[in-house]
Amino acid sequence: MNRFDLPIHKNPLRTRGDVERALLQLLEPVRGRFTGGGAGLWLGGHAAHYGAGSARMEAFSRMLWGLAPLWAAGGGEEWLPLFRRGLANGTDPAHPAYWGRLSHYDQKVVETAAIAAALLLCGERMGFSPEEARNLHQWLAGADGLSLPQNNWLFFRVLIQAAFRRMGWAWNKGQLEEDLAKLDGWYLGEGWYCDGQPTQMDYYIPFGMHYYGLIYAWAMERDDPGRSRLFKERAARFAGDYLYWFEDGGRAVPFGRSLTYRFAQGAFFSALALAGVEAVPWGVMKSRVLGNLRDWLAQPIFDSGGLLTVGYAYPNLLMSENYNAPGSPYWALKAFACLALPEGHPFWAAEEAVPALEPLRAIPPARMLAARDESQVQLFPAGQRCANDMGHCGAKYEKLVYSSRFGFSVPRGESLEAGAFDCCLAVCEAGTERWRTQQGFEDFRLEAGRCWRRFSPLPGVEVEVTVVPNFPAHRREYTVTTDRPIDAADGGFAIPAEDGEGRACTPDMVEWGPCSVTARFPWGVSAIRCLSGMGEPVLVRAWPNTNVLHPLTCIPTIRLSLPPGTHRFTTLVTGAVPKA
């Protein structure tokens, strides 16, 4: 429950007018925060690795993800001169607010995407003078030839070149073709890309790779019909799998990095609508965008002034990445691409609808299984790994299961309580209490109704585990081989220790067995039982703010002492919430 009420909390988010009003409600708190020259926004004091100057420019540019579609439809007039001024001054080398030239691996290159998208959507409405247009063109062209991360960053230059072509400015066809060719090399088939890393399938596929491809397809359909058609076809195929990451009401599963972008989760469906791709019925598309917005905007994700905070379901720097500055969360405004569509468009005219989905679905390109019912979604990844650790990436990709209702936890230390080892196996040298979990994998398999992985959490310790979903439970079949005595802890779902009204759990809500522990709280059930008759049940009281959904959690856990040798044991883990 929010500590304070904001106007946006009363927005029903059912119509186009509601969605436009929600965008303006999100923008209103930034009005008085422009820096000198209007080319930046100061939204807070914590840092990202790229420093304060780029952070202020980032905050400014990310507002364009929402404003540009609104401007394209003729709305948002009061904001247009403010951002036109900032764009003019930020790209004028003679102005004190000049952003500086773009450089290799520069965060400002990320922010060029929003500017390019604004030019594609409504460049003619920006009203730049010839000199201002020349400065903006030259500044954006500074991205040509730069060394960039080999991932979705290449799409930023693609959008720049597409914007130049649409505006009638000089453009670099060679740079465009080079970047598009590299991006095409990351297409895996069946609608799935990877973001440069084939072991990393997260929200960057929908709100990065496909989103930019759909913007390109919308803008370049006449100039590049073949590639535009290809982007649309791939996005349409991807949509059928991506539906499985959402509950019927629109809530998505927290998984992977950049979760502070929150309702960017629904941006893919918004871009589908913009590009005119009816990959799923319009009502289903609408329910994913608006349902996700409704879920997010009811959560305590704002500060007292109405600014979006860094975190996930509540303000939480612990789960952030090293590139999350105060303005970073406004990447979420990508979800408002649908505002470029007029009131009479089929997207807005359709009644929201819930798709008919299978209770268990294998998604081989994403290396995961998806299980669901009307109350919860669970994702079971197998061969997932983030190659670059930017903040607790092991916890964000390598748990055994991820849930839309229980979330996942990231560590604050090495003890069971500080490590908050939910939905994974942790091990340590016997008696040391310095726990370690999976960091990378040696092999994996995704089979019908099960997934398997092998990894080594400590030198001399090898773990093989087969996970078999039986929703809302799943079975974990372990083989652990160790060359010395170790302790092991198999963690269940992290369940909130109190509900949204502040009512706390009590000892009588916990049920104990010889090899089992069940947290049966009024707001949910988390249980673990060792079917092999081994281990000691414990209820770990995790440190505060380790879970992405719930500030205080308990983790039902089975603790085992394993001598040298090979050990086989099986646990049954359940995570259930009341059905609406």
Side-chain angles (χ1 to χ4, degrees), residues 201-203 207 242 244-247 250-263 265 292 295-296 299 311-314 319 321 368 376-381 392-410 422-423 493-494 546-550:
M201 303 295 173
D202 53 24
Y203 285 104
F207 67 44
Y242 189 45
Y244 281 83
W245 289 31
F246 292 80
E247 294 180 7
R251 175 172 294 198
V253 180
F255 171 74
R257 67 188 179 103
S258 294
L259 292 178
T260 199
Y261 300 159
R262 294 181 175 115
F263 41 95
Q265 292 164 335
N292 189 249
D295 179 72
W296 273 118
Q299 297 190 49
Y312 191 65
Y314 59 95
M319 56 74 59
E321 285 81 30
M368 65 173 58
Q376 181 190 175
V377 175
Q378 296 176 358
L379 300 180
F380 296 85
H392 303 302
C393 281
K396 294 171 182 177
Y397 291 88
E398 298 178 348
K399 305 272 188 177
L400 299 174
V401 57
Y402 293 83
S403 163
S404 60
R405 290 290 161 170
F406 294 93
F408 66 88
S409 304
V410 299
D422 61 337
C423 294
F493 289 98
T546 48
N547 189 270
V548 298
L549 288 183
H550 312 292

Side-chain angles (χ1 to χ4, degrees), residues 110-176:
V110 179
E111 311 316 319
T112 64
I115 299 170
L119 293 174
L120 287 168
L121 284 161
C122 57
E124 67 284 352
R125 292 201 62 208
M126 304 297 286
F128 294 117
S129 70
E131 182 181 2
E132 290 168 343
R134 184 168 56 253
N135 287 337
L136 180 57
H137 175 232
Q138 291 177 350
W139 186 82
L140 288 169
D144 286 7
L146 293 179
S147 297
L148 302 179
Q150 296 300 288
N151 55 23
N152 72 95
W153 280 49
L154 300 188
F155 252 125
F156 308 152
R157 279 198 301 228
V158 167
L159 294 183
I160 288 172
Q161 298 305 327
F164 288 172
R165 192 168 182 183
R166 192 169 177 84
M167 295 293 291
W169 299 346
W171 61 291
N172 186 336
K173 183 177 181 181
Q175 182 72 77
L176 177 67

Side-chain angles (χ1 to χ4, degrees), residues 357-401:
L357 301 177
E358 306 163 40
L360 181 65
R361 181 181 178 98
I363 310 178
R367 305 182 178 194
M368 65 173 58
L369 304 173
R372 63 181 298 111
D373 70 4
E374 61 268 32
S375 65
Q376 181 190 175
V377 175
Q378 296 176 358
L379 300 180
F380 296 85
Q384 288 269 6
R385 179 174 183 268
C386 182
N388 302 305
D389 191 2
M390 296 162 285
H392 303 302
C393 281
K396 294 171 182 177
Y397 291 88
E398 298 178 348
K399 305 272 188 177
L400 299 174
V401 57

Side-chain angles (χ1 to χ4, degrees), residues 89-111:
N89 291 340
T91 56
D92 180 358
H95 197 281
Y98 180 54
W99 291 328
R101 295 179 61 183
L102 297 172
S103 58
H104 302 300
Y105 301 100
D106 191 341
Q107 175 65 27
K108 291 190 293 292
V109 175
V110 179
E111 311 316 319

